[in-house]
Amino acid sequence: MKGFFQSQNAATHGLILAGCVLLLSLGQFPSWVSADVHYYDFVLKEINVSKLCLNDTILTVNGFFPGPVIRVRKGDTVYVNVTNQGHYGVTLHWHGVKQPKNSWSDGPVFVTQCPIQPGANFTYEVIFSDEEGTLWWHAHSDWTRVTVHGAIVILPEEGTTYPFPEPDGEEVIVLGSWYNGDLHKEINEDLETHADIPHSNGYLINGELGDFANCSRGTTYRWSVDYGKRYLLRIVNAVVDDELFFAIGGHNITVVGWDGSYVKPVETSYIMLSPGNTMDVLLTTNRPPGRYYMASRQFLTESRDSPDGYIGSAIIEYTGDYNFSFPNFPNYLPQSRDMKAAMTFTSLIKSLANEDYPISVPMNITTRMFITVSMSELCSDRMDCNITAGSGNILASSMNNISWVNPTVDILQAYYRNISGYYTTDFPDWPLIMYNFTKDSYDYNVSITDQGTKVKVLNYNESAEIVFQGTALLGGASVHPMHMHGYGFYVVGMGEGNFNNETDPLTYNLVDPPKANTFIVPRNGWLAIRFVANNPGMIYFSIT
């Protein structure tokens, strides 16, 4: 699902598939200390790979899967020249990088730019501001991000250090999903036949499926560590549409960062990451020397008929002389449908909120929005909606019962050049129809979504609160990970059932809420976020 915001005279807030766009007006953005400038060349090209006993061709950057790691310090600027040697148009997005006053390089296709066509190139300017920790970059056109993605490592400014003990080393861990065959072709066919979206055939750790997948044992990713050391793991969930549990056999880990911000340390035996989430965790190698599995498993919230998630695995190997026995599997890697484990972990994440890392939660809210997030249906002929369930309709995601339509001119250009006819500024603040959002039975008409290219306009420096409400339409989708471009928002509340605007705000955490760019809306539950509209531009809000 997709969407975006715009601040008046500089950005737009609207809706895509199931998302919003924000238009934010021009104003002063805090200036950051000038730092280093880095240059990268990314060449999009296809390579041949073998997974699950099959040979496939995938699109990559510079022939690497996952792609190159971008390394910077806080406040640096990066120029990435992208040359497209693939067979279809592609854009890149710098997930979690706020890009102050620089929406032109944000990357969502048909929002801030048109696709980079085969044989063409485009240079992105990526401006880092207050981000610190781990983020990632990925393709932002169709499902190309499945294989076109990589990590971004943002070190503290020169002369400063982490708010936790200095690690002895670090490792980037990219969690991915694998699809057999030509995914680009399959998606186009599914759209034509109104079929459900493809489902992954396995989960990857640093590009490999691991010991529990067919024809994969010989290629399992391995990482060597020394006994008695402290390592920083920079974990990226690059999976397209699945939440993942992750754990390490025999070891607890300590979460210290989330989405490019530091958090109060949380010691845990497992973590849960939504698609697009990044996490910094500390691992102390204090167990008997041996081999230990890193393992991921899908967190499922769909019906019991859905199959259990695959296990992705990699191996941590202690250096030294010892008996190389079978690796130790995590004692507690939650089962696929363990909702309690997922929600318990998520509730533990809090901002540092101290003198060195202060937060500023908006208190005087000037704009409030209530947005339903649903799986819906488009009429098969896209016109006559006086039909019944199961009539060959098109499955679509929606926000406030609107599904996004891509324009032929990207929204940012249309706004900047005052070109009319490509979007409207009437994305609704409330659902078009009010009903019991989480009740299993409902009037089928409410599941029929409209189509539009709609944005929401916010004035510069407005304080906004958005409550996202999950629904039970069409049996209810899984949890919805919401990603906001151009901002880090504060997650002030989350709960099950229908949001109650009298009692639920009393439970808000306004003291040390986590600051994130991606967070889940629980299945048949709600999520409340707050932010200040102080980054002018076309700000995209999407369900990852």
Side-chain angles (χ1 to χ4, degrees):
M1 302 185 198
K2 311 171 184 178
F4 57 102
F5 291 99
Q6 173 186 356
S7 163
Q8 195 171 11
N9 297 332
T12 301
H13 183 152
L15 180 75
I16 292 189
L17 253 177
C20 307
V21 179
L22 201 72
L23 224 143
L24 305 177
S25 62
L26 289 172
Q28 291 299 114
F29 196 92
S31 59
W32 305 98
V33 176
S34 179
D36 289 340
V37 177
H38 309 263
Y39 299 90
Y40 288 82
D41 285 309
F42 280 10
V43 179
L44 295 165
K45 61 182 179 180
E46 293 188 341
I47 63 170
N48 296 321
V49 297
S50 179
K51 305 283 185 189
L52 296 178
C53 315
L54 299 171
N55 295 321
D56 277 310
T57 300
I58 63 173
L59 189 67
T60 66
V61 168
N62 298 348
F64 294 105
F65 177 53
V69 176
I70 291 177
R71 294 184 178 273
V72 299
R73 287 193 179 274
K74 180 179 179 181
D76 286 356
T77 296
V78 173
Y79 290 93
V80 183
N81 182 50
V82 179
T83 301
N84 185 5
Q85 295 181 359
H87 300 304
Y88 41 85
V90 178
T91 64
L92 295 187
H93 168 56
W94 319 96
H95 194 108
V97 182
K98 297 179 181 64
Q99 294 273 44
K101 291 186 179 180
N102 193 36
S103 290
W104 298 103
S105 283
D106 192 44
V109 67
F110 297 117
V111 177
T112 63
Q113 71 176 106
C114 293
I116 306 168
Q117 295 302 315
N121 73 295
F122 182 86
T123 299
Y124 290 92
E125 180 187 38
V126 188
I127 300 174
F128 293 86
S129 52
D130 63 348
E131 305 89 359
E132 191 171 332
T134 305
L135 295 172
W136 68 302
W137 59 265
H138 60 82
H140 207 298
S141 41
D142 298 322
W143 280 27
T144 314
R145 73 180 244 196
V146 170
T147 58
V148 179
H149 58 249
I152 300 174
V153 172
I154 311 165
L155 300 172
E157 292 176 305
E158 199 75 55
T160 65
T161 188
Y162 306 105
F164 48 80
E166 187 82 20
D168 298 300
E170 67 173 50
E171 185 76 356
V172 171
I173 303 294
V174 179
L175 309 178
S177 48
W178 181 256
Y179 296 81
N180 289 332
D182 188 335
L183 183 60
H184 190 76
K185 179 180 177 182
E186 182 179 348
I187 292 170
N188 288 336
E189 291 174 350
D190 289 344
L191 291 174
E192 289 294 326
T193 60
H194 310 165
D196 192 5
I197 60 175
H199 294 275
S200 62
N201 299 108
Y203 295 104
L204 306 155
I205 297 181
N206 284 358
E208 301 296 344
L209 290 153
D211 287 357
F212 301 95
N214 292 335
C215 303
S216 302
R217 184 176 292 273
T219 60
T220 300
Y221 183 79
R222 285 170 164 77
W223 173 38
S224 294
V225 299
D226 295 326
Y227 179 82
K229 301 293 185 180
R230 181 187 297 111
Y231 293 91
L232 175 61
L233 275 66
R234 300 179 178 276
I235 304 175
V236 174
N237 184 2
V239 172
V240 173
D241 62 349
D242 295 324
E243 292 73 27
L244 293 177
F245 292 114
F246 176 88
I248 298 175
H251 297 73
N252 280 350
I253 52 182
T254 302
V255 181
V256 293
W258 178 292
D259 279 4
S261 296
Y262 295 123
V263 299
K264 289 182 171 66
V266 176
E267 185 175 352
T268 178
S269 58
Y270 71 96
I271 59 177
M272 195 278 286
L273 302 96
S274 297
N277 263 152
T278 57
M279 208 169 294
D280 297 316
V281 304
L282 295 176
L283 167 70
T284 300
T285 50
N286 56 5
R287 305 300 296 164
R291 299 193 297 169
Y292 299 85
Y293 275 123
M294 293 185 281
S296 66
R297 175 185 282 137
Q298 181 186 9
F299 167 46
L300 278 166
T301 57
E302 298 176 4
S303 69
R304 291 283 174 179
D305 295 333
S306 301
D308 285 337
Y310 302 102
I311 291 177
S313 66
I315 297 174
I316 294 177
E317 298 178 332
Y318 279 66
T319 58
D321 296 325
Y322 55 87
N323 181 21
F324 279 79
S325 60
F326 193 77
N328 184 316
F329 195 80
N331 291 328
Y332 188 61
L333 178 67
Q335 295 300 310
S336 294
R337 292 177 176 82
D338 195 337
M339 176 69 77
K340 181 178 179 182
M343 295 301 103
T344 297
F345 171 75
T346 302
S347 68
L348 297 175
I349 305 301
K350 313 288 184 187
S351 291
L352 274 181
N354 58 24
E355 184 177 352
D356 293 328
Y357 297 91
I359 64 172
S360 181
V361 183
M363 296 297 180
N364 299 316
I365 303 301
T366 56
T367 296
R368 296 182 187 273
M369 300 180 71
F370 182 81
I371 300 176
T372 55
V373 183
S374 307
M375 293 307 299
S376 304
E377 290 187 351
L378 291 168
C379 302
S380 56
D381 61 6
R382 299 175 185 263
M383 294 178 63
D384 182 9
C385 290
N386 188 19
I387 55 179
T388 58
S391 299
N393 297 339
I394 302 167
L395 186 66
S397 53
S398 68
M399 283 184 165
N400 280 352
N401 238 47
I402 301 171
S403 290
W404 177 260
V405 177
N406 279 335
T408 55
V409 172
D410 67 85
I411 303 296
L412 182 58
Q413 182 178 187
Y415 175 79
Y416 185 78
R417 299 187 181 282
N418 197 26
I419 306 172
S420 61
Y422 293 99
Y423 69 91
T424 60
T425 57
D426 57 346
F427 180 80
D429 290 347
W430 303 92
L432 304 179
I433 302 173
M434 302 298 290
Y435 57 98
N436 187 337
F437 303 113
T438 59
K439 187 177 181 181
D440 289 334
S441 59
Y442 52 87
D443 185 338
Y444 179 68
N445 287 332
V446 303
S447 69
I448 300 296
T449 179
D450 294 327
Q451 288 188 294
T453 308
K454 299 176 182 289
V455 306
K456 168 72 176 180
V457 178
L458 295 182
N459 291 317
Y460 181 77
N461 255 353
E462 279 198 63
S463 295
E465 177 179 304
I466 302 177
V467 175
F468 293 101
Q469 174 69 58
T471 77
L473 296 185
L474 305 185
S478 59
V479 297
H480 300 283
M482 303 301 303
H483 171 50
M484 188 176 189
H485 293 222
Y487 287 86
F489 54 78
Y490 292 105
V491 179
V492 297
M494 183 172 65
E496 297 180 351
N498 292 317
F499 178 75
N500 185 311
N501 61 4
E502 293 183 355
T503 59
D504 285 331
L506 300 178
T507 69
Y508 282 0
N509 175 10
L510 303 177
V511 177
D512 57 358
K515 190 177 184 181
N517 62 66
T518 306
F519 216 85
I520 61 170
V521 179
R523 184 174 187 266
N524 288 347
W526 56 271
L527 172 74
I529 69 169
R530 290 184 177 184
F531 64 95
V532 176
N534 59 3
N535 185 8
M538 190 65 63
I539 308 302
Y540 191 56
F541 217 135
S542 63
I543 300 179
T544 62

